[in-house]
Amino acid sequence: MVNVTGLRLKNPTILAAGIMGTTGASLIRVAQQGAGAVVTKSIGPEPKDGHNNPSMVKLDFGYLNAMGLPNPSYEDFLPELKKAKQKSGVPVIASIFGSNEDEFRKVAQGLMSGKPDAFELNVSCPHAMGYGTSLGTDSKMVKAVTSAVCEVVNVPVWVKLTPNVTDIVAIGKAAEAGGADALVAINTVRGMAIDIHSGYPVLGNRFGGLSGDAIRPIAIKCVYDLYANMDIPIIGVGGISTWQHAVEMIMAGASAVQIGSGVYEGLNVFFNVSEGINNFLKEHGYKKTEEITGIAHERF
Amino acid sequence: MIPINSKITKIVAETPSTRTFFFDYSFEYAGIGQFVMVWIRGVDEIPMALSYKNAITVQKVGDATSRLFEIEEGGFVGLRGPFGKGFTIPKKRENILLIAGGVGAAPLASLAEKAFSEYSYVTIILGARNVDELLFMNRFLQCGHVYITTDDGSAHRCGFVTDVLEELDVSVYDRIYICGPEMMMKKVFDILEKEQALDRAEFSLHRYFKCGIGICGACCMDETGLRVCKDGPVFNGKDLMDTEFGKYARDASGRKKWFL
Ligand SMILES: Cc1cc2nc3c(=O)[nH]c(=O)nc-3n(C[C@H](O)[C@H](O)[C@H](O)COP(=O)(O)OP(=O)(O)OC[C@H]3O[C@@H](n4cnc5c(N)ncnc54)[C@H](O)[C@@H]3O)c2cc1C
Ligand SMILES: Cc1cc2nc3c(=O)[nH]c(=O)nc-3n(C[C@H](O)[C@H](O)[C@H](O)COP(=O)(O)O)c2cc1C
């Protein structure tokens, strides 16, 4: 059992936002496969088709995507959220986005009747103009958006940070000042690939965000820095597909981990990672995940 | 994988609305029924079944397919794949039935040829809007017995593939394979359900694909959460029971679009 901002998770693996999270049925399936909690696709005020394909490609060292925040709008997503809440048997966290405080507030309020266990604010998607990183690189905006949502909801609010900043701790502090109960780090790292045969950027949106193995060291460092400077819990995400990766992230300072691209290896990734963490804890005489959270900070 | 830069070596006009594009790249290890993502640069990337190891057969319906129809022999597209789960290949001397509607014949023609070469007994029901739109009739004719239906009666029997299916004794077939418009497949599904043949049937589905590799979740089915791009596109009939199949699909935003 892991407690994250009052949510009780049967294990510390969480489905990351934007991965198999557009429908209630797929969230339920991921929960049944062993995830300790699930985060929905980021949901906004209006329906959005997202960017043209190619929207995601696998590279040798990770994945590049520019989905463009496709979502059915909070109105159409509400029944999916309700379904996930009814049948998944795990905490369901609603990821939301908007272009300003008002939109964030509207979406959060619109989803409240679905009874999400927490909200995760996406101020970190690197490839949707006017959303995500456009807000998440600005401390004032992050604080404003966080407090706008905190004012209207009565469940924990997590804020998901972008690594595409000089000082992630400053943004984390702004979220905390706005009332965030936890931080989620990191979203994808801005990136691009070009087809040399034609000169065309590969992604329909031309550029996008890098995820998977390539970004793990970046995520580890962000979580490490946040842990050293913040009082609220941190959820680590970026490049996790094995229990060893998860343990590393927890040692950097994470209370729980999210898995996104790692789903490519199979949905049993949640089961395998949580079993692996359990075995590791047992072998080393620990009773709880908490006992190794941030231990890298005690080793010089 | 970055899309493989592939040259169009030959274009064959199959019917007034469909063309086959042959490439200089061949997916030698692709399973029949698997698909590739076809990148038409500057426009879009769309899923297409392989109609040969080195070709796709495309019906012109919108932006990307129209642009593809403007590309000439010697032109290039990008290809990623093969992806997804294809058809179960029949065993020797099995008796199989293929039901193809419209461009749904694209993946099934290869299956007919493979089954024939492995000594299965092949029966085909091929349907199309009219006589000119019958796709791969000659490929099918070389593999087994072919029943033909056209919506307007311009060739053979006027009507739908299901009219023929209802007259056949389904119990004699070890495996049944279906690909075509969803409402056609749904009617076939209902007949096979009545005949208790769903566990012997495989349907190739079509949903809106984004990532194509089972991560984003755009093509997940209700209520199973199965991903059409990764767990499919070919599904056993049993796996489609009590699902959204035949009722609705989702558009690019994830909103439901009901079949009429
Ligand atoms: C597994 C699979 C195999 C397919 N095999 C073939 C084939 O062998 N031959 C063939 O002609 N067609 C095939 N299709 C359908 C083909 O992908 C669409 O006709 C094509 O995407 C249309 O693109 P467009 O830009 O021309 O049309 P648009 O104007 O963009 O849209 C027309 C319709 O095409 C569909 N479509 C558009 N984009 C996508 C997408 N990214 N994913 C899925 N559907 C989309 C939608 O239903 C849409 O309503 C297959 C689809 C799937 C899922
Ligand atoms: C296809 C895809 C879609 C994503 N969509 C979202 C999203 O809607 N909201 C969000 O906050 N993060 C989104 N992300 C970012 C992931 O949640 C995660 O932060 C990132 O991919 C790094 O983790 P990973 O290496 O485990 O994938 C998406 C990532 C991918 C690959």
Side-chain angles (χ1 to χ4, degrees):
Chain A
M1 217 30 122
V2 185
N3 184 322
V4 187
T5 66
L7 275 59
R8 297 168 64 78
L9 277 53
K10 64 174 193 267
N11 73 63
T13 67
I14 306 173
L15 174 70
I19 284 77
M20 291 187 71
T22 311
T23 71
S26 62
L27 289 163
I28 293 165
R29 181 173 176 214
V30 173
Q32 286 167 347
Q33 296 281 321
V38 292
V39 182
T40 70
K41 175 72 195 166
S42 290
I43 302 299
E46 303 289 339
K48 233 163 113 58
D49 284 346
H51 299 311
N52 275 351
N53 281 352
S55 49
M56 183 163 189
V57 291
K58 186 179 186 300
L59 307 172
D60 295 337
F61 40 79
Y63 304 81
L64 201 54
N65 93 82
M67 307 304 299
L69 295 174
N71 82 96
S73 81
Y74 67 91
E75 282 156 324
D76 271 44
F77 187 70
L78 190 56
E80 307 293 337
L81 176 61
K82 287 184 172 161
K83 192 191 284 177
K85 272 296 296 175
Q86 262 168 25
K87 299 200 185 136
S88 67
V90 303
V92 179
I93 297 100
S95 172
I96 61 171
F97 74 92
S99 57
N100 54 42
E101 298 102 291
D102 290 341
E103 284 190 1
F104 265 96
R105 202 182 286 123
K106 182 169 156 188
V107 177
Q109 279 174 321
L111 290 176
M112 269 310 281
S113 67
K115 297 199 167 49
D117 294 278
F119 281 95
E120 182 179 290
L121 312 189
N122 177 357
V123 288
S124 41
C125 176
H127 49 72
M129 277 288 280
Y131 301 107
T133 293
S134 311
L135 279 63
T137 50
D138 175 349
S139 305
K140 278 203 206 71
M141 202 61 198
V142 169
K143 184 178 167 194
V145 162
T146 308
S147 57
V149 174
C150 287
E151 274 162 25
V152 297
V153 305
N154 53 11
V155 292
V157 173
W158 302 356
V159 177
K160 182 160 175 189
L161 305 178
T162 172
N164 303 308
V165 290
T166 318
D167 181 8
I168 195 167
V169 171
I171 308 289
K173 293 259 187 215
E176 188 178 29
D181 298 281
L183 300 175
V184 182
I186 57 177
N187 209 312
T188 53
V189 178
R190 244 197 327 254
M192 186 169 184
I194 294 164
D195 171 47
I196 61 166
H197 305 285
S198 63
Y200 271 93
V202 174
L203 293 174
N205 184 54
R206 307 177 74 80
F207 67 94
L210 189 61
S211 63
D213 280 328
I215 69 166
R216 195 167 52 252
I218 300 172
I220 297 284
K221 172 70 169 136
C222 288
V223 168
Y224 185 88
D225 288 351
L226 289 166
Y227 183 84
N229 293 284
M230 310 285 312
D231 296 323
I232 53 179
I234 296 141
I235 295 144
V237 49
I240 298 174
S241 60
T242 68
W243 65 265
Q244 290 92 335
H245 300 156
V247 167
E248 184 185 2
M249 189 66 86
I250 295 166
M251 288 182 165
S255 298
V257 298
Q258 292 183 354
I259 298 173
S261 315
V263 160
Y264 181 81
E265 313 289 338
L267 289 175
N268 55 0
V269 63
F270 297 97
F271 177 81
N272 292 341
V273 170
S274 66
E275 282 295 294
I277 297 172
N278 272 341
N279 292 337
F280 177 86
L281 293 175
K282 250 184 242 146
E283 257 172 46
H284 292 78
Y286 297 109
K287 292 196 185 60
K288 301 189 286 202
T289 315
E290 284 98 306
E291 292 173 38
I292 60 166
T293 293
I295 65 167
H297 295 261
E298 297 157 19
R299 310 278 195 271
F300 300 102
Chain B
M1 91 207 276
I2 297 266
I4 300 160
N5 188 46
S6 310
K7 185 179 189 166
I8 297 171
T9 52
K10 191 168 72 166
I11 299 175
V12 177
E14 306 283 0
T15 76
S17 77
T18 54
R19 287 185 195 166
T20 299
F21 297 83
F22 288 89
F23 304 112
D24 63 349
Y25 185 87
S26 182
F27 294 88
E28 283 305 317
Y29 300 103
I32 295 170
Q34 282 195 293
F35 69 95
V36 293
M37 293 298 285
V38 183
W39 182 30
I40 298 127
R41 292 170 177 122
V43 186
D44 206 348
E45 185 193 41
I46 53 175
M48 286 288 158
L50 288 166
S51 57
Y52 299 88
K53 290 213 177 294
N54 64 334
I56 56 172
T57 299
V58 182
Q59 183 169 38
K60 183 167 150 179
V61 295
D63 290 358
T65 47
S66 298
R67 175 71 193 97
L68 181 58
F69 270 51
E70 287 163 19
I71 303 178
E72 291 170 6
E73 287 178 0
F76 290 85
V77 296
L79 299 175
R80 288 194 296 143
F83 295 137
K85 191 174 121 291
F87 296 108
T88 311
I89 303 301
K91 300 197 188 82
K92 224 177 224 172
R93 275 184 279 284
E94 277 187 336
N95 202 1
I96 68 165
L97 175 65
L98 307 182
I99 306 173
V103 75
L108 289 180
S110 291
L111 183 62
E113 286 162 355
K114 174 78 179 169
F116 177 71
S117 73
E118 305 268 336
Y119 309 102
S120 311
Y121 306 104
V122 186
T123 303
I124 299 112
I125 311 176
L126 177 64
R129 252 173 297 160
N130 56 53
V131 62
D132 296 329
E133 287 297 341
L134 287 166
L135 179 61
F136 291 142
M137 187 157 64
N138 289 330
R139 289 177 79 188
F140 287 121
L141 282 169
Q142 285 165 24
C143 301
H145 183 74
V146 185
Y147 294 93
I148 286 167
T149 67
T150 49
D151 300 1
D152 68 353
S154 50
H156 298 261
R157 185 165 174 164
C158 178
F160 303 106
V161 291
T162 42
D163 299 341
V164 175
L165 179 63
E166 270 174 331
E167 289 164 14
L168 296 180
D169 177 6
V170 172
S171 68
V172 305
Y173 298 105
D174 300 301
R175 296 173 195 278
I176 304 161
Y177 303 89
I178 307 98
C179 188
E182 184 134 334
M183 288 328 283
M184 174 213 105
M185 292 201 289
K186 173 66 170 142
K187 290 196 183 105
V188 171
F189 180 94
D190 291 342
I191 294 171
L192 297 182
E193 185 172 32
K194 240 184 12 233
E195 302 284 337
Q196 299 190 326
L198 281 184
D199 54 338
R200 288 178 279 135
E202 292 186 351
F203 294 80
S204 182
L205 265 57
H206 175 180
R207 284 293 178 274
Y208 201 94
F209 288 180
K210 285 175 182 276
C211 77
I213 54 176
I215 294 182
C216 76
C219 64
C220 285
M221 302 271 293
D222 285 346
E223 299 298 330
T224 52
L226 291 172
R227 298 158 294 184
V228 175
C229 78
K230 179 95 170 190
D231 305 306
V234 175
F235 291 101
N236 184 278
K238 286 271 184 205
D239 293 332
L240 298 176
M241 284 175 79
D242 305 316
T243 67
E244 68 179 40
F245 172 67
K247 299 190 189 98
Y248 59 85
R250 287 171 197 271
D251 67 10
S253 77
R255 275 176 300 174
K256 290 178 185 173
K257 293 282 171 259
W258 296 81
F259 292 110
L260 299 173

